[in-house]
């Protein structure tokens, strides 16, 4: 068994028009044994950027705090919030910094870059655990990653509005979690729009 | 005396003599001027050397990164070691964030370096005041960094021998909505005040950065010649 599969998780992010969404299950487990049904896997950077961490739960806790420290330092030294696209690069460099003693985490970043004139560029990025960045229309991570790719490909449409995006992300996550015994038992969906962050807990199978 | 064991110790009057002397070195230097316009920044400097020195062989206005340039007043060799650190800072920042460093942050980094040299043992303060010109997310920015470690963003500023007169001149000429082209003209006119000898394309140097392409550029001798002709 890979250390990446020791704690299960399902994580997905998707682009919409002027919005992005990121969702993750809430199960904390040691292999098949469930420990908690209430684990936070998605974290807030600022009003324009969220990130999720899949992988080894202990490293999720440590690395999320490291990123929080780095973004707080950025805000203090630069007197501004970090842009989502800049944050994606910060994640890549800080993971590669630990190239020979890595955190066993797979980050997924979802954010909005201000283009001016009320337009926002959705930013989605995922990585391997040493920081090789990949940017696409959607990103999947966790033990359910391979199931998620398939459903995301069929649920994804271009230029979805926040409601459609919520539906697509939720359905993708639900379908994939049904196929993965290591993930599930509750899920949270975050939809990021220029004006608000919508957080919804969705009902899932409890088995 | 209490100042004997260290170069950088306070006098009883609360003064750091070495820092005061370093500012004096700046005031003895060749004149440099910076003006921020609404669509860019111009910095200009005087290149005075004996007639036997080949003026083309060195530049006093230089790029730090693509978007930020600088010049100075004071001691030349000190300038090069500050510039070396500035360039390294830019590259380090770009390697982490793949984003351009803001002029503010670069000025702050250099100011920290300058401050360190007013306090650390076995060091002397830098004998240069730096002018940084660039474009960042805040728009055009002109920063001055002093040997004491103080740094400020300016609308227009002057350094060197003639700086009191030049600052006076700038205060009269500066307007908030200056165009870059007008700022270049004002910079030349300010330089002309109290310039020893005839101003030409070999004894002054100009650097500009505009909001259009955001690239800092040292003007060629031909371009300087054209601007001088215009300024007459």
């Amino acid at each position: 068994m890979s250390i990446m599969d020791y704690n299960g998780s399902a994580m997905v992010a998707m682009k919409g028009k002027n919005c992005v969404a990121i969702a993750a299950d809430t199960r904390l487990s040691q292999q098949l044994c469930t420990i908690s049904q209430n684990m936070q896997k998605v974290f807030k950077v600022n009003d324009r950027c969220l990130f999720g961490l899949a992988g080894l739960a202990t490293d999720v806790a440590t690395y999320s705090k490291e990123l929080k420290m780095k973004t707080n330092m950025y805000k203090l030294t630069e007197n501004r919030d970090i842009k989502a696209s800049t944050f994606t690069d910060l994640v890549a460099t800080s993971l590669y910094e630990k190239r020979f003693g890595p955190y066993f985490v797979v980050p997924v970043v979802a954010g909005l870059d201000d283009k001016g004139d009320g337009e926002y560029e959705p930013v989605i990025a995922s990585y391997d655990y040493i920081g090789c960045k990949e940017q696409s229309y959607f990103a999947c991570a966790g033990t359910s990653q391979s199931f998620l790719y398939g459903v995301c490909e069929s649920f994804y449409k271009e230029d979805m509005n926040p409601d459609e995006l919520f539906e697509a992300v939720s359905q993708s996550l639900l379908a994939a979690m049904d196929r993965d015994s290591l993930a599930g038992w509750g899920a949270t969906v975050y939809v990021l729009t220029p004006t608000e962050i919508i957080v919804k807990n969705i009902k899932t199978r409890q088995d | 005396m209490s100042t004997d064991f260290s170069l950088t110790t306070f006098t009883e009057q609360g003064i750091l003599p070495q820092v005061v002397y370093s500012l004096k070195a700046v005031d003895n230097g060749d004149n440099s001027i910076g003006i921020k316009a609404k669509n860019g920044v111009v910095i200009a400097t005087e290149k005075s050397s004996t007639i036997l020195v080949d003026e083309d062989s060195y530049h006093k206005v230089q790029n730090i990164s693509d978007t930020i340039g600088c010049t100075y007043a004071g001691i030349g060799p000190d300038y090069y070691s500050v510039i070396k650190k500035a360039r390294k800072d830019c590259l380090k920042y770009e390697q982490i964030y793949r984003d351009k460093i803001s002029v503010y942050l670069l000025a702050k980094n250099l100011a920290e370096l300058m401050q360190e040299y007013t306090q650390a043992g076995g060091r002397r303060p830098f004998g240069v005041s730096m002018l940084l010109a660039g474009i960042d997310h805040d728009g055009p920015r002109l920063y001055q960094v002093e040997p004491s470690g103080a740094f400020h963003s300016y609308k227009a500023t002057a350094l060197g021998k003639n700086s009191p007169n030049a600052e006076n001149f700038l205060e009269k000429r500066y307007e908030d909505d200056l165009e870059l082209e007008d700022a270049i003209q004002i910079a030349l006119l300010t330089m002309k005040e109290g310039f020893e000898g005839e101003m030409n394309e070999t004894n002054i140097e100009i650097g500009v950065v505009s909001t259009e392409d955001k690239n800092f550029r040292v003007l060629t001798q031909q371009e300087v010649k054209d601007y001088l002709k215009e300024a007459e």
Side-chain angles (χ1 to χ4, degrees):
Chain A
M1 187 210 55
S2 157
I3 193 68
M4 286 302 213
D5 302 332
Y6 187 66
N7 308 112
S9 58
M11 191 167 291
V12 58
M14 222 178 248
K15 274 185 190 176
K17 187 176 170 59
N18 279 333
C19 59
V20 284
I22 180 166
D25 71 326
T26 54
R27 179 174 183 255
L28 169 64
S29 59
Q30 267 177 31
Q31 301 189 69
L32 291 170
C33 168
T34 303
I35 295 164
S36 165
Q37 300 174 38
N38 190 24
M39 185 193 174
Q40 187 190 4
K41 297 179 188 181
V42 176
F43 306 90
K44 182 176 163 182
V45 178
N46 54 49
D47 289 343
R48 296 266 182 275
C49 190
L50 302 170
F51 70 96
L53 296 174
L56 189 66
T58 174
D59 282 358
V60 168
T62 310
Y63 188 60
S64 66
K65 278 176 189 155
E66 186 171 313
L67 283 179
K68 184 171 184 175
M69 185 271 276
K70 288 195 177 195
T71 48
N72 282 349
M73 284 301 286
Y74 184 98
K75 193 171 178 184
L76 285 169
T77 49
E78 309 234 358
N79 292 322
R80 58 177 170 148
D81 277 329
I82 194 166
K83 273 196 321 189
S85 55
T86 310
F87 180 71
T88 63
D89 290 315
L90 175 64
V91 171
T93 30
S94 69
L95 281 175
Y96 196 76
E97 230 168 46
K98 302 269 193 302
R99 169 66 177 82
F100 295 110
Y103 290 118
F104 297 108
V105 292
V106 178
V108 173
V109 177
L112 292 171
D113 265 3
D114 195 345
K115 292 271 134 196
D117 306 323
E119 283 297 307
Y120 291 85
E121 173 77 27
V123 176
I124 295 284
S126 61
Y127 309 77
D128 62 13
Y129 65 101
I130 50 170
C132 178
K133 186 170 76 167
E134 196 177 335
Q135 287 184 288
S136 191
Y137 307 104
F138 52 80
C140 314
T143 47
S144 316
Q145 189 182 42
S146 49
F147 309 116
L148 277 162
Y149 271 118
V151 271
C152 281
E153 268 164 17
S154 51
F155 275 116
Y156 178 78
K157 282 183 300 184
E158 270 183 10
D159 293 338
M160 287 184 281
N161 65 36
D163 290 336
E164 292 169 320
L165 189 63
F166 168 77
E167 204 57 30
V169 165
S170 306
Q171 291 300 337
S172 302
L173 194 70
L174 287 171
M177 285 192 312
D178 282 351
R179 289 273 158 192
D180 182 7
S181 55
L182 294 173
W185 261 354
T188 315
V189 184
Y190 303 76
V191 182
L192 198 66
T193 71
T195 50
E196 59 183 336
I197 302 174
I198 305 158
V199 187
K200 284 177 183 164
N201 291 308
I202 52 174
K203 268 195 170 166
T204 66
R205 286 170 62 130
Q206 301 288 311
D207 59 355
Chain B
M1 258 300 280
S2 62
T3 52
D4 285 351
F5 63 89
S6 166
L7 284 174
T8 45
T9 302
F10 281 107
T11 64
E12 280 164 22
Q13 287 74 41
I15 291 164
L16 290 169
Q18 290 304 313
V19 173
V20 177
Y21 303 155
S22 69
L23 288 166
K24 185 79 190 155
V26 172
D27 286 337
N28 288 338
D30 292 337
N31 298 308
S32 288
I33 281 160
I35 302 175
K36 185 175 77 173
K38 75 173 177 197
N39 60 334
V41 189
V42 54
I43 50 178
T45 189
E46 184 187 333
K47 279 171 98 172
S48 75
S49 45
T50 65
I51 47 167
L52 294 177
V53 172
D54 181 0
E55 300 101 337
D56 305 336
S57 67
Y58 69 101
H59 294 286
K60 285 184 63 188
V61 178
Q62 294 197 16
N63 275 82
I64 292 174
S65 67
D66 289 344
T67 54
I68 303 175
C70 68
T71 190
Y72 75 102
I75 303 167
D78 283 19
Y79 171 59
Y80 295 111
S81 73
V82 176
I83 242 187
K84 192 171 159 186
K85 150 93 172 160
R87 288 188 174 136
K88 209 167 171 178
D89 279 354
C90 280
L91 291 172
K92 269 187 190 165
Y93 186 92
E94 278 173 37
Q95 198 170 38
I96 295 172
Y97 299 105
R98 313 248 170 103
D99 194 11
K100 305 258 184 252
I101 194 169
S102 61
V103 191
Y104 162 76
L105 201 61
L106 184 66
K108 198 169 96 160
N109 284 346
L110 293 186
E112 271 170 21
L113 174 80
M114 301 272 211
Q115 195 283 332
E116 193 188 314
Y117 277 64
T118 69
Q119 199 175 2
R123 305 274 166 85
R124 65 163 174 79
F126 287 98
V128 287
S129 270
M130 302 280 293
L131 285 184
L132 302 174
I135 308 272
D136 58 27
H137 62 281
D138 277 335
R141 278 283 175 272
L142 171 68
Y143 273 90
Q144 179 182 323
V145 187
E146 289 168 27
S148 61
F151 72 107
H152 297 284
S153 175
Y154 280 89
K155 293 171 177 173
T157 184
L159 298 170
K161 274 190 208 96
N162 196 33
S163 59
N165 292 331
E167 269 168 25
N168 237 326
F169 192 84
L170 286 170
E171 273 168 26
K172 285 188 201 117
R173 291 288 187 121
Y174 185 82
E175 288 159 40
D176 273 329
D177 56 349
L178 272 181
E179 291 286 340
L180 182 57
E181 291 297 306
D182 297 333
I184 297 173
Q185 291 303 325
I186 293 174
L188 286 176
L189 289 174
T190 316
M191 291 280 283
K192 225 172 188 175
E193 291 281 299
F195 195 91
E196 284 163 23
E198 184 78 12
M199 220 159 79
N200 61 46
E201 67 276 12
T202 57
N203 61 20
I204 62 164
E205 211 160 51
I206 303 174
V208 291
V209 56
S210 89
T211 44
E212 254 168 61
D213 62 357
K214 295 182 179 175
N215 280 336
F216 183 89
R217 206 164 59 79
V218 182
L219 297 187
T220 61
Q221 289 199 348
Q222 185 57 48
E223 284 171 302
V224 175
K225 203 172 175 180
D226 294 344
Y227 277 118
L228 279 171
K229 208 175 269 175
E230 250 179 83
E232 268 166 19

